[in-house]
Structure formats: C-alpha cells, structure tokens
Amino acid sequence: MTEQAQTKEFQAETRKVLDIVINSLYTERDIFVRELVSNAADALEKFRHISLTEKPEFDAHVPLEIRIDCKEKKHILTITDTGIGMTAEELEANLGTIAHSGSSKFLSELAEAAQKDVKLIGKFGVGFYSAFMAAKTVKVQSRSWDSSQGHEWFSDGNGTYTISPCDGLHRGTKIIMELKEDAEEYAQDFNIERIIRQYSTFIPFPVKVAGKKVNTVEAIWLRSKNEIKDKEYTEFYKFIGNGYDEPMWRFHFSVDSPLAINALLFVPKDNMESVGLGRMDPGVNLHCRRVLIDQHSKNILPEWLRFLQGVVDSEDLPLNISRQSLQDNALVAKIRRVITKRFLKFLDEEARNEKEQYALFWKTFGIFIKEGITTDFEYQEEIGKLLRFESSATESGEMTSLEDYISRMKEEQKEIYYISGPNRAAIEGGPYVEMFKKRGVEIIYTLEPIDDFVLSHLGTFDEKKLLSADRADLRLPENTEQEEAKEQLAEAVQTSLCKWMKEVLGERVQEVKPSSRLVDSPAMIVSVGGHITSTMERILSSQSHGKNNPMTMGNKKDMEINPASPLIRKVADLRAKDQDFAKDLAEQIFDNAMIQAGLLVDPQQMVSRSYRIMERMVG
Ligand code: ADP
Ligand code: MG
C-alpha cells in the first residue's frame, strides 16, 4: 500500500449507476439519508458481531452509534458511525465497484426503475451512490477495526475518485457531504430528524442528530399482535426490507412450546429475482432475545423461501452461537421446521380465503414454491396443495389446485393427468387431449417448462399418481356410453402397416402401434420410459447442446397411429402402389407428431420432404 493519494477510475458499471443517480433521480431525494444510515447500521452490526469473538482492543469502548451533524451555513452534512470501518482496499472495492455488476440487464432494469419508481433503488444495492443525489462532493473517512491506518476516499461523482491516507481517525466511518445548492435543506437538523423518524426508527443502534437520540430502538415482533398498528408493521417492513413499498402479506405468530418462537414474516410485492438481480440473499434475520445473531440467515428457513423478509426470534438459542454452528444446530433445524410448516399453512389458508390475492402471489412467487417441490422433499405434501395450474376445466388464465381437480374427477378415474405445451391453444389443438375431451376427463395444462419437473418430482398427490398424457401407458376411464365405432383399418392391415412404418423410421422410434387414444389426429409420440416427458427431454437436451444427455438417452419413444384416420388409411393403400411417396408421408407424419410433442426434428430434411409432397399434390 503506498501512502500517497491515488486517483482511480470508477468501474464502467459504477459510472453508469452514478450517471443514473445524479441525472434521473430528483424526486424523493430523502432516500439517500436512509441509505447511508442503513449502511452505518450494517457496519455497526458487523462490528458488534466481530467483537463477540475477536475482542478488538483499539477503541473498544467507543459506543456503537450513529451521529449526524449538520453545518447549516456551510451546507455540509456529516454521518458518522463507529462500526467496522473500511481499509483502503475495501474503500476501493466497495465504493468503486458494484456488487451486481456485469449484467447489462441489471443496468437497464435499474435505469428503468429509477425513472419509474425511485423506491426500488435500495434493493439494487447501489445505496451508497445515492449520496450524489444531494451532494456535490463526498468524502468518506474510514478506519477499519483491525487497521492502524485510516484513509479518505473522495469524489465529485464524475468518473474518478481518490484514496489517500488520513490520520487521527477513530474506528468507523465518517461521510462528509458538501450539498448541492438545491439540496441545502439536508443541512438542517429538523429535516434530518424528520427523515430518520420516517425511515430509520427501527435501526437497532442509537441515531443521534445534534447529540439527541431520535430513533426508538424496538423489537416490534415481540409485542402482541393486537397492540400493533398496521402502520407500524409497514414501517418495520420498509426498514427490514430496505424498501419503500408495502408488503403483499404479513404473518406474525408466536409459539411457546416446545420452543419459544416469535416470528414476523413479510411477503413483498415484487420478486426481485425477476428483475435481473440474480439470486437473492435470504431476507429473514435470526434473533435471540432481540439480539441479531444471523443476518439474512441461510439457516432459519429453507432456501426456496428466500423471498420472505422479516425476523425470527427464539429465546431458546444460545446468544453466543457462531454462524458456522448454526448450520447444523438441531435446535435451529427444529425452529426452521416449525416456521416453515406454519408459513405453508398460512399460505394454504390465504389461498382458500383470499383467492384473488393468492392468484397474485402465485404469479409473482409461484416459481419459488415450485423450486420448493423440486429441491425440498420434506414439505412436498404441504407445498403440493399450493400449486396452481390451468386445466381443461378452467378458463384461459384461471387456475385450479390439485385438490379442486380431484374433487371434479370421474368416479372411475384413478390418476391425475397433465400435458405440457407452450400455450393453451397449442395443447388444445394437439393430439394428446383428444381422448380426454371425448371422455370428459379433465387434464392439467403445464405451460411453464419447469412444471413437468415439478409434477414428476411430486409423483403423487393425495395418493393419486400424477401422469403426463404423453406416456404410453395411460389408463383413461372408459366412457360409460357406447362410443360410436368409426370405420378403421382391419386389424391385420394395422399390424403390417405398423411394422412397415417402424422399418421406415428405424431407430427414431422403439415401436409403432395402433392407438386407442387418438380421435382425429393421425399420430402422436408417446414416451415409454415413463419418467421423462417430452418437455423435460427438450430442456435436458438443449442444456447438453445437442450432445446426448445421459438423462434423456434411456427415454424411449413410440409412435401411436390412428387406424381411423383417413390419412393413415391412405398411407396403408399407397404402400402397394407408390412406396416412395408412402415413405415420405410416413416420415412427415412422424415429424409432425414430433413437433406436436415439442421435440426437435431435422428442419432441412423436413422442408425438402414437404416440398416433394406438395409438388406431388399440385402436379
Ligand atoms: P449495500 O449496502 O447494498 O451493500 P451500498 O452501496 O449501500 O450497497 O454499500 C456498498 C458497500 O460499501 C457495503 O456493502 C459496505 O461493504 C460498504 N460500506 C458502505 N457504507 C459503509 C460504512 N458506513 N461502513 C463500512 N462499510 C460501508
Ligand atoms: Mg447499503
């Protein structure tokens, strides 16, 4: 480390972020105060945690607090914390780059959010740079808890910053802002006080303005439900989620035995993973008798519930437990199970009582619930109840639960059926649903690629097998009324036609068989292996980039043909008269069935073949 001032350039993404912050964020400027105060609180929290194990000596008795000083005449605002501080390297890494950088999607989303809704900015983790909304220049003087040398970071937000040694600093960080002319109100005590009261009341360290503590340090989750006003809940949610919006739902509960647990959980309004932020950190903090012991805890809830925000507090946990030992602590596992079950029950109740709200939840966070099914065996049964799909019995865009599906099942129906497709129209026009329609059997439409994995992981629901309709071995309930017999090929002709088609198609199919399920379509592809649907096969092979994927290699396919289809009967005729043309037709029927199954065909061959067929028709 050289002991001179060094001028450095901001990382390209950071420059763009700064540009957005400085040029497009004019409204609701107040938020920069909150962003800086929340950084200070984080730094204090980190120091408190370290001091449990490391026992640092330097400045050991400096109280953990945040001080805000206004020099009204000079237009200077200073925010000081006695937290963990930063070394020169940390100043550079933390205030010169951004954590979520590297994705241009991130930046465009941020730019959009900045224009639409400045409230989102805190969630983008670019909080520090919001200082430049109000400041001409920003100085950050910081001394890390385990360094003997302090440093000063300085920038006017225009492309570069400098870092130089700075003597005489205490532990922690001081941010000195020289305010823009139109932002001078931020050097007035009463304004700053108002903002702290509005946004930062729940900071668990004293926040002092002009020497006076202005926040209330309070553990709202320990109070009894009926004493807490909606507004207080919302304020707390905003604090904990670093957001400015209202939650979609809150769930506050406590149990006394076998463990004493208080939990206050919030479902946010937005899914931040869907706006280009990548995988998010868990949002629930673990406390023991008010004291934070694991922030953004990975241990207190299953990973697929990472979209939740809030607090879990249990007085049964030892206060000095280390983060590593939380991971395989039996008590923590027990608490996790209790909370997860309670929360799933809560969702199930909301789903019954608040249908519309639940539909919104499902649209936003359903993907996490599905992730739960595929990654967490423990709660499959409970999560299964929460799943929602379109089906042949719903209107387009409406959803049904598996329970409701079962309540509509035919008496002799033993299984739950589903079929995937890119949209309703494609499914309803395809071969797989024909017999379902005819027999009046409901079928679930799986419209998202992940759905088939989810249902195949789930396997059964309420003891009924979940089966994809592209399987070879379905047992659809028989129609009670006589089905009118259609004219079809004689059995001997069927057998020899199937044999011949198999010869034509070679290894592409395992077998060609007459179908008992097709009504109008000439043919369909069914999978014999049973565990992998066509959609799953398509996804798995696209992941292995055309190479054989070991997961799909064992997946055998049959083609079923419809002996009553005029086209199939024609092909049977043509075999004797015009072998070559009959072959072309057989191959084209196969390719068409593959396409309807969502599987790949060789486009070149298929196009030249279909031209040959067309030429025959017009010639
Ligand atoms: P975020 O808080 O989401 O990480 P910020 O832009 O607000 O993003 O801050 C970037 C990083 O800078 C923080 O993660 C932290 O490491 C560091 N930092 C910011 N302010 C402070 C502070 N007062 N004390 C110590 N570190 C800080
Ligand atoms: Mg921050």
Side-chain angles (χ1 to χ4, degrees):
M1 184 170 59
T2 57
E3 294 299 323
Q4 290 153 14
Q6 291 194 350
T7 301
K8 297 178 192 283
E9 279 185 24
F10 286 111
Q11 175 203 33
E13 280 88 353
T14 312
R15 276 208 305 278
K16 289 193 197 134
V17 167
L18 276 167
D19 189 56
I20 293 167
V21 166
I22 294 169
N23 296 313
S24 21
L25 298 179
Y26 287 118
T27 52
E28 305 191 62
R29 267 187 184 175
D30 288 2
I31 69 159
F32 88 91
V33 177
R34 197 194 78 165
E35 294 297 335
L36 297 180
V37 169
S38 105
N39 282 351
D42 287 348
L44 287 162
E45 194 56 63
K46 286 179 196 160
F47 179 74
R48 196 187 57 76
H49 204 86
I50 280 180
S51 59
L52 290 178
T53 49
E54 305 281 325
K55 310 265 180 271
E57 276 172 23
F58 171 69
D59 273 355
H61 299 293
V62 171
L64 298 181
E65 62 182 18
I66 300 166
R67 286 195 309 274
I68 306 183
D69 296 295
C70 299
K71 292 210 178 71
E72 194 174 342
K73 294 217 181 73
K74 293 191 170 157
H75 317 305
I76 287 180
L77 171 67
T78 306
I79 300 177
T80 311
D81 67 69
T82 53
I84 192 170
M86 286 176 274
T87 62
E89 291 77 17
E90 286 165 340
L91 282 168
E92 181 175 347
N94 296 337
L95 312 185
T97 61
I98 38 178
H100 300 290
S101 66
S103 107
S104 55
K105 179 159 185 230
F106 166 76
L107 277 171
S108 57
E109 294 279 356
L110 173 65
E112 206 178 296
Q115 257 149 33
K116 228 180 22 218
D117 190 357
V118 68
K119 295 181 169 152
L120 285 169
I121 192 163
K123 304 214 169 161
F124 282 84
V126 295
F128 169 76
Y129 302 108
S130 66
F132 288 99
M133 290 165 74
K136 275 195 276 204
T137 66
V138 178
K139 250 184 223 162
V140 180
Q141 298 176 339
S142 195
R143 176 163 168 184
S144 167
W145 67 281
D146 71 345
S147 164
S148 55
Q149 176 66 54
H151 289 91
E152 181 176 285
W153 178 103
F154 176 83
S155 179
D156 61 3
N158 284 321
T160 62
Y161 59 93
T162 57
I163 294 180
S164 42
C166 180
D167 294 329
L169 299 181
H170 282 284
R171 181 193 72 228
T173 303
K174 178 183 279 202
I175 299 184
I176 304 161
M177 279 159 284
E178 185 194 354
L179 298 167
K180 295 180 182 171
E181 272 82 54
D182 61 354
E184 286 164 4
E185 77 253 33
Y186 294 109
Q188 291 168 339
D189 287 339
F190 73 92
N191 262 323
I192 294 295
E193 249 182 70
R194 170 185 59 79
I195 299 171
I196 299 292
R197 289 227 162 81
Q198 184 176 358
Y199 293 123
S200 307
T201 37
F202 293 103
I203 295 269
F205 300 96
V207 181
K208 293 179 176 168
V209 179
K212 196 175 79 197
K213 183 171 147 227
V214 293
N215 63 326
T216 48
V217 185
E218 180 187 42
I220 180 174
W221 59 93
L222 296 181
R223 282 167 51 193
S224 111
K225 259 196 252 189
N226 40 27
E227 284 172 10
I228 307 173
K229 297 194 193 77
D230 283 350
K231 192 166 167 270
E232 289 178 282
Y233 275 124
T234 305
E235 291 302 314
F236 181 69
Y237 164 72
K238 290 179 184 173
F239 162 70
I240 195 113
N242 201 29
Y244 294 85
D245 53 347
E246 309 233 324
M248 183 184 293
W249 272 319
R250 68 160 185 261
F251 178 48
H252 188 182
F253 82 97
S254 49
V255 285
D256 292 325
S257 71
L259 292 161
I261 303 171
N262 284 283
L264 176 51
L265 305 176
F266 296 95
V267 177
K269 271 217 181 81
D270 299 303
N271 168 5
M272 296 311 286
E273 281 188 15
S274 70
V275 303
L277 276 186
R279 202 179 179 78
M280 57 186 159
D281 282 338
V284 174
N285 300 334
L286 179 60
H287 292 244
C288 167
R289 299 164 212 249
R290 292 158 204 263
V291 180
L292 183 60
I293 56 176
D294 193 18
Q295 192 166 24
H296 303 300
S297 178
K298 291 196 162 65
N299 306 299
I300 201 58
L301 285 173
E303 209 182 339
W304 50 273
L305 285 176
R306 62 187 175 280
F307 63 94
L308 289 179
Q309 314 231 285
V311 171
V312 171
D313 192 321
S314 173
E315 48 183 80
D316 293 321
L317 285 170
L319 247 182
N320 54 0
I321 190 167
S322 78
R323 266 176 223 178
Q324 285 89 316
S325 56
L326 280 172
Q327 221 175 55
D328 35 38
N329 182 291
L331 214 56
V332 174
K334 235 183 209 169
I335 300 175
R336 178 173 58 225
R337 209 166 310 126
V338 172
I339 300 171
T340 306
K341 294 238 175 193
R342 289 291 291 258
F343 181 68
L344 289 174
K345 192 159 154 252
F346 165 80
L347 282 183
D348 188 44
E349 282 162 14
E350 293 300 312
R352 283 164 213 280
N353 304 331
E354 306 278 343
K355 286 214 159 59
E356 258 171 53
Q357 186 63 37
Y358 186 78
L360 195 65
F361 167 81
W362 180 250
K363 200 165 153 241
T364 316
F365 295 106
I367 185 78
F368 291 94
I369 301 300
K370 291 176 185 174
E371 183 185 321
I373 297 244
T374 56
T375 58
D376 200 340
F377 189 73
E378 197 172 349
Y379 309 100
Q380 274 192 347
E381 209 181 302
E382 289 92 337
I383 309 179
K385 291 188 194 166
L386 301 173
L387 294 173
R388 293 293 181 273
F389 299 100
E390 292 196 28
S391 87
S392 55
T394 70
E395 298 293 317
S396 166
E398 306 268 302
M399 302 270 167
T400 181
S401 66
L402 295 176
E403 253 165 346
D404 287 347
Y405 176 102
I406 288 175
S407 73
R408 290 186 293 261
M409 264 167 55
K410 307 203 112 187
E411 214 173 296
E412 53 306 6
Q413 186 181 343
K414 303 270 181 296
E415 300 161 337
I416 301 173
Y417 302 108
Y418 62 95
I419 186 68
S420 70
N423 54 56
R424 271 184 95 93
I427 291 175
E428 291 179 344
Y432 297 100
V433 297
E434 290 178 350
M435 192 50 80
F436 288 84
K437 259 190 237 163
K438 189 161 175 186
R439 303 234 170 115
V441 176
E442 182 175 351
I443 179 164
I444 286 169
Y445 298 162
T446 49
L447 301 175
E448 302 288 338
I450 189 189
D451 289 345
D452 285 15
F453 291 93
V454 172
L455 291 179
S456 110
H457 263 272
L458 189 57
T460 60
F461 182 79
D462 197 11
E463 294 173 6
K464 290 169 190 64
K465 269 197 184 150
L466 290 151
L467 295 180
S468 169
D470 68 357
R471 283 173 64 128
D473 57 347
L474 293 192
R475 313 231 171 288
L476 282 184
E478 296 291 328
N479 228 353
T480 33
E481 299 135 50
Q482 260 312 283
E483 276 168 22
E484 57 173 299
K486 269 200 188 167
E487 201 182 327
Q488 56 175 44
L489 293 174
E491 226 155 275
V493 185
Q494 287 183 23
T495 317
S496 87
L497 178 66
C498 286
K499 192 160 163 268
W500 173 78
M501 278 188 144
K502 160 68 187 159
E503 275 163 31
V504 172
L505 297 172
E507 289 308 300
R508 282 173 278 178
V509 289
Q510 176 172 277
E511 213 183 321
V512 179
K513 291 188 302 196
S515 178
S516 56
R517 272 162 57 194
L518 288 168
V519 181
D520 296 315
S521 297
M524 71 178 173
I525 302 294
V526 292
S527 72
V528 191
H531 294 299
I532 290 187
T533 69
S534 300
T535 301
M536 289 156 79
E537 176 173 339
R538 189 181 66 236
I539 293 169
L540 291 168
S541 34
S542 73
Q543 280 169 354
S544 52
H545 306 288
K547 286 189 218 82
N548 278 336
N549 185 318
M551 304 245 333
T552 61
M553 262 160 45
N555 200 32
K556 301 251 164 45
K557 286 184 273 296
D558 285 354
M559 179 161 82
E560 291 192 0
I561 58 170
N562 179 358
S565 148
L567 179 61
I568 293 293
R569 287 159 58 198
K570 200 86 199 165
V571 174
D573 262 6
L574 269 173
R575 253 180 72 203
K577 295 181 213 147
D578 190 343
Q579 271 272 5
D580 286 346
F581 187 45
K583 261 189 196 162
D584 268 353
L585 289 177
E587 299 218 358
Q588 190 64 35
I589 289 170
F590 171 76
D591 273 4
N592 286 1
M594 286 288 280
I595 290 171
Q596 284 183 309
L599 293 168
L600 293 180
V601 298
D602 179 342
Q604 208 47 51
Q605 279 194 18
M606 136 120 183
V607 168
S608 34
R609 184 191 320 116
S610 66
Y611 281 142
R612 276 203 304 279
I613 296 172
M614 285 183 214
E615 272 160 20
R616 271 285 297 236
M617 313 302 309
V618 295

